[in-house]
C-alpha cells in the first residue's frame, strides 16, 4: 500500500513493523519505515505527508487484509500464510540485511516495549546466524502505544482462554 501510494516498488520500502496479534488488532507501524525515492532514502511519514491516511485507512486496511483476501477469492487465505512462512524461512536462513529488520511473531519475553512476557507477539527483529533478536530502542509514540496495548490485551485474553480450556480438559 505504501509503495503504491508513492509510485515505487515494494522493494523500495523497508522497516514497516507489524506489532502484535495476527488478527484485526494487529498494528502496522510506519514510524520507523524508510522508502527509496529518486535514489534517496527518506522516512515514509516524510514522503507521504498524510497522517490521516497513515493512521486511518492504511491501518484498517492492513488489519482487515486476511478477511479481504478470503472475500475476494471466495477461498482460504492459506496461500498468503504460506507466502509469509516462506518469507520467514528465507529471513531465518539468510538473515536480514544490515540496517533492515522484519516483523516476526516471537515469544515476548525480554522485550523492551512493555509487552507482557509469555505472549507470541509480532515484533521488529533482526536475524543473524539463524538467530533473531529484538530491534531495541525504537521510540514509541502515544498512538502506537495504544495500538500495541490493544493487541497485547487481545493476546493475553486468548492465552487465558486457552489455559482455561486446557485446565478443564
Amino acid at each position: 500500500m505504501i509503495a503504491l501510494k508513492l509510485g515505487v516498488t515494494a522493494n523500495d520500502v523497508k522497516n514497516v513493523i507489524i506489532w502484535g496479534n495476527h488478527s484485526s488488532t494487529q498494528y502496522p507501524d510506519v514510524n520507523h519505515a524508510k522508502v527509496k525515492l529518486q535514489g534517496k532514502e527518506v522516512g515514509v511519514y516524510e514522503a507521504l505527508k498524510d497522517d490521516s491516511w497513515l493512521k486511518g485507512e492504511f491501518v484498517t486496511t492492513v488489519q482487515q487484509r486476511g478477511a479481504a483476501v478470503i472475500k475476494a477469492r471466495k477461498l482460504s487465505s492459506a496461500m498468503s500464510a504460506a507466502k509469509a512462512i516462506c518469507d520467514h524461512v528465507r529471513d531465518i536462513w539468510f538473515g536480514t540485511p544490515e540496517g533492515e529488520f522484519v516483523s516476526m511473531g516471537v515469544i515476548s519475553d525480554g522485550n523492551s516495549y512493555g509487552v507482557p512476557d509469555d505472549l507470541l507477539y509480532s515484533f521488529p527483529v533482526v536475524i543473524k546466524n539463524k538467530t533473531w533478536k529484538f530491534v531495541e530502542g525504537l521510540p514509541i509514540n502515544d498512538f502506537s502505544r495504544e495500538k500495541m496495548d490493544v493487541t497485547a490485551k487481545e493476546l493475553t485474553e486468548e492465552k487465558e482462554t486457552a489455559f482455561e480450556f486446557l485446565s478443564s480438559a
Side-chain angles (χ1 to χ4, degrees):
M1 287 180 68
I2 299 293
L4 284 172
K5 191 128 174 118
L6 290 170
V8 299
T9 69
N11 288 334
D12 291 325
V13 180
K14 66 181 186 181
N15 297 349
V16 175
I17 301 169
I18 299 291
W19 296 100
N21 201 1
H22 185 259
S23 73
S24 63
T25 67
Q26 67 184 298
Y27 168 51
D29 179 3
V30 296
N31 286 293
H32 311 286
K34 304 286 184 193
V35 61
K36 188 187 293 184
L37 288 176
Q38 301 167 346
K40 183 181 173 195
E41 193 172 89
V42 297
V44 166
Y45 258 92
E46 178 188 340
L48 280 172
K49 298 176 179 75
D50 192 346
D51 195 56
S52 174
W53 183 80
L54 285 168
K55 289 182 175 178
E57 182 182 343
F58 172 68
V59 170
T60 55
T61 300
V62 172
Q63 288 174 330
Q64 300 300 324
R65 182 177 176 273
V69 168
I70 292 167
K71 183 178 178 184
R73 295 185 69 226
K74 311 242 187 306
L75 295 168
S76 160
S77 60
M79 286 304 292
S80 180
K83 169 75 167 90
I85 291 167
C86 290
D87 290 347
H88 277 13
V89 170
R90 179 204 59 223
D91 293 335
I92 292 167
W93 190 257
F94 294 107
T96 49
E98 191 66 35
E100 294 186 28
F101 50 78
V102 295
S103 296
M104 194 172 282
V106 297
I107 193 71
S108 60
D109 297 10
N111 78 86
S112 62
Y113 296 104
V115 175
D117 285 350
D118 296 324
L119 298 177
L120 282 173
Y121 188 103
S122 180
F123 288 93
V125 299
V126 292
I127 304 166
K128 187 174 184 178
N129 298 323
K130 300 178 183 60
T131 302
W132 64 266
K133 292 183 181 175
F134 294 114
V135 173
E136 299 287 352
L138 296 174
I140 304 298
N141 64 29
D142 291 342
F143 180 82
S144 296
R145 172 86 275 144
E146 180 182 328
K147 297 291 186 188
M148 292 166 66
D149 289 348
V150 166
T151 195
K153 181 177 185 283
E154 179 184 57
L155 281 165
T156 300
E157 291 168 356
E158 288 178 359
K159 182 180 95 171
E160 289 167 359
T161 300
F163 282 138
E164 286 173 18
F165 283 122
L166 291 172
S167 66
S168 66

